Amino acid sequence: MAQGVARIGQDRYRTEIEVGGRAIVADEPPALGGQGAGFAPYDLLLASLGACTAITLRMYADRKGWPMESLEVGLRLHGVEERRIARTLTIAGLDEDQKARLADIAERTPVTLTLKNGLPIDTRLG
């Protein structure tokens, strides 16, 4: 399964992340004391959901032989104490029934289900 590491040093909030042999940078925006050198943590969460949604729906459309031209997954995080994600699918090339089916499938993508069901996290010292 997926495995990664995040490292932070003396740079204020800039975090080097390696997952699956690929590197990315996370940081907080200047308004929160960071340098804006990378994605903020919630940006990465939305990116994961968006990627999983787009890939899963593309796979489904391809498997069905549907002529989907493009798919855009718009995501917005709302709330502070009770957070919610609004997801908007903009699909070109399909009829309304096909679009409705993809919206239904979107509710059951792996990352969607993980977020909706919650995920236990076990923390220990190394």
Side-chain angles (χ1 to χ4, degrees):
M1 202 72 208
Q3 186 173 333
V5 63
R7 293 182 184 89
I8 192 167
Q10 296 296 316
D11 292 335
R12 184 152 188 181
Y13 307 140
R14 179 188 169 94
T15 303
E16 304 288 333
I17 302 167
E18 186 177 322
V19 178
R22 290 184 168 71
I24 56 175
V25 174
D27 197 356
E28 289 290 352
L32 294 177
Q35 299 299 312
F39 300 102
Y42 278 116
D43 295 340
L44 293 169
L45 180 72
L46 292 180
S48 294
L49 178 61
C52 184
T53 301
I55 291 167
T56 301
L57 298 186
R58 168 51 70 189
M59 286 177 171
Y60 188 87
D62 288 351
R63 205 169 327 126
K64 292 290 188 177
W66 292 352
M68 185 169 74
E69 295 167 11
S70 65
L71 165 68
E72 180 178 293
V73 182
L75 297 160
R76 185 174 180 95
L77 183 66
H78 297 278
V80 176
E81 300 211 6
E82 196 171 309
R83 296 198 188 273
R84 296 186 64 77
I85 296 173
R87 175 171 49 192
T88 303
L89 305 177
T90 304
I91 304 166
L94 300 182
D95 64 35
E96 293 308 310
D97 288 340
Q98 292 167 326
K99 290 177 184 180
R101 180 66 180 141
L102 289 184
D104 182 55
I105 296 295
E107 290 299 315
R108 293 188 306 281
T109 68
V111 172
T112 298
L113 293 176
T114 298
L115 291 173
K116 286 184 172 189
N117 295 330
L119 180 67
I121 300 173
D122 301 317
T123 302
R124 61 182 169 84
L125 294 174

